[in-house]
Amino acid sequence: MNIGFPISHKENEKRRAILPVHIQAMKYPEHLYFEKNYGHVMGIPDSEFSNLGCHICEREEILKKDIICDPKIGDADYLETLCNQTVFGWVHATQNPVITDRLIKGNLTVYAWEKMFYKNRHVFWKNNEIAGEAAVIHAFQFYGTMPYETKAAVIGRGNTARGAIRMLNMLGVAVIQYGRGNEELLREEIGMYDVIVNCVLWDVTRTDHIVFKSDLARMKRNAMIIDVSCDRNGGIETSIPTTIDNPAYDVDGILHYAVDHTPTLFYRTASAYNSDSVWRYIEKLMLDESDETLKNALIIQNGVIADPEITAFQKR
């Protein structure tokens, strides 16, 4: 099957799904179709793709291919134009029923990057680490206080939290980590911290929060919340996803940072890691093959929901 790679129109999204260095290892590059100037933001001319046997096309042609691969495909502006095709990228359909409806109406088959695990490790674990690192670096630029003057609480024990803690440590921040079982303790101790960093993948079946709006009154004056997970009204009740151009807002004197695609701030690094992870699965999809990783990432098949998490959320 032919695979199309469109350029994302999401604001400031510069990550790319696959790079020439990894296409070199593929058996059938002639089945890869890239939108014109696909690698331009990375300093990669179209000729590097075409010299490997790939095709360079206009966007309209790209979106007609059997499979559409786009890292931020869940936020794509073309989903409603797709029909009877396969999509491959970060989708986050569980958290967004509007996206789910579009995918179903298009009779699409959907493989979600957020659901891809190999031997219990997330395929895109490095991207998650970069998310934590990038969010910390970016957020402090709007805080007005040097990081080494602050004390931070990090919620979560996964890859994103590891990245956030690494960067906080490098910036001289005093860090205390809280896991899912420490939520009540965090709320009790919330007044100790200048910065709260949320890295918890939110359970969409929950109707409560880790940090409630009422908790803001007990936080330090002029404190900051960095919500890397940035689920609207999720772990942080007052969290609303923001953009790189307008990343922060104030609620009751507490600065909130909630950019939902921070790895794009370091798009060269993120793209290199993502490409190294994804090229083998692109080849499997091209050949209509599958493995355990792809089977578990199949959330919608021919317009029918295959992910029980989405079904459970819809029944709430």
Side-chain angles (χ1 to χ4, degrees):
M1 291 187 284
N2 295 322
I3 304 185
F5 297 84
I7 296 173
S8 176
H9 285 178
K10 183 177 174 66
E11 62 87 28
N12 287 305
E13 180 54 61
K14 299 177 181 179
R15 284 172 293 178
R16 297 295 182 256
I18 190 168
L19 305 178
V21 66
H22 298 115
I23 295 174
Q24 293 177 18
M26 300 182 69
K27 296 178 181 178
Y28 306 103
E30 65 273 18
H31 289 277
L32 305 182
Y33 291 75
F34 294 88
E35 184 175 349
K36 285 185 176 180
N37 295 317
Y38 186 80
H40 180 74
V41 71
M42 305 281 296
I44 302 173
D46 287 344
S47 59
E48 287 198 31
F49 292 94
S50 58
N51 288 344
L52 292 171
C54 307
H55 303 272
I56 305 299
C57 304
E58 298 292 344
R59 185 178 184 84
E60 182 179 355
E61 184 65 25
I62 295 298
L63 296 178
K64 295 178 181 178
K65 301 309 173 189
D66 304 306
I67 301 169
I68 307 300
C69 182
D70 179 354
K72 295 298 289 184
I73 202 162
D75 295 321
D77 55 4
Y78 54 77
L79 281 182
E80 292 180 336
T81 70
L82 303 182
C83 185
N84 299 318
Q85 295 160 276
T86 295
V87 298
F88 187 49
W90 281 300
V91 184
H92 300 292
T94 305
Q95 295 88 341
N96 195 327
V98 174
I99 292 174
T100 302
D101 288 343
R102 289 174 181 170
L103 299 170
I104 292 172
K105 288 179 181 178
N107 200 40
L108 301 178
T109 293
V110 183
Y111 293 89
W113 285 10
E114 65 271 16
K115 299 282 189 176
M116 290 179 64
F117 290 85
Y118 178 72
K119 295 185 177 179
N120 293 320
R121 185 173 76 176
H122 193 227
V123 169
F124 298 96
W125 64 274
K126 187 60 182 180
N127 186 85
N128 295 343
E129 281 194 351
I130 295 171
E133 294 168 335
V136 168
I137 292 173
H138 197 212
F140 265 100
Q141 296 178 48
F142 303 91
Y143 190 34
T145 301
M146 291 300 290
Y148 53 73
E149 296 181 316
T150 66
K151 184 176 182 179
V154 173
I155 314 170
R157 299 192 182 277
N159 297 315
T160 305
R162 183 165 59 248
I165 291 171
R166 178 190 297 122
M167 191 52 59
L168 290 166
N169 287 334
M170 292 174 66
L171 293 172
V173 180
V175 182
I176 300 294
Q177 188 175 18
Y178 294 80
R180 291 178 182 270
N182 307 131
E183 294 178 16
E184 290 187 15
L185 179 62
L186 170 66
R187 285 194 290 272
E188 180 180 313
E189 299 178 344
I190 200 167
M192 298 168 47
Y193 301 104
D194 305 285
V195 180
I196 305 293
V197 185
N198 177 39
C199 301
V200 171
L201 178 61
W202 191 240
D203 178 357
V204 294
T205 63
R206 289 180 59 169
T207 56
D208 62 342
H209 312 280
I210 298 174
V211 177
F212 292 79
K213 188 176 189 296
S214 58
D215 293 321
L216 304 186
R218 297 185 296 105
M219 294 180 67
K220 277 188 176 182
R221 183 181 180 183
N222 298 322
M224 173 171 64
I225 294 174
I226 303 175
D227 192 356
V228 190
S229 300
C230 58
D231 296 309
R232 183 183 294 269
N233 198 38
I236 310 297
E237 183 178 13
T238 47
S239 184
I240 301 171
T242 58
T243 66
I244 288 172
D245 289 338
N246 295 287
Y249 60 93
D250 182 277
V251 178
D252 296 343
I254 304 300
L255 185 69
H256 288 57
Y257 173 96
V259 174
D260 68 355
H261 61 141
T262 54
T264 193
L265 291 162
F266 297 91
Y267 56 91
R268 296 183 194 278
T269 301
S271 295
Y273 279 110
N274 291 344
S275 178
D276 187 38
S277 298
V278 80
W279 72 265
R280 299 169 182 84
Y281 298 102
I282 289 175
E283 195 157 61
K284 287 178 183 293
L285 290 174
M286 179 194 303
L287 298 172
D288 197 22
E289 297 177 350
S290 190
D291 61 9
E292 199 67 22
T293 298
L294 286 173
K295 288 177 182 177
N296 292 333
L298 180 63
I299 63 171
I300 297 175
Q301 186 169 22
N302 298 322
V304 179
I305 295 174
D307 181 3
E309 189 177 71
I310 297 177
T311 303
F313 180 73
Q314 291 183 333
K315 291 180 178 179
R316 283 178 53 186

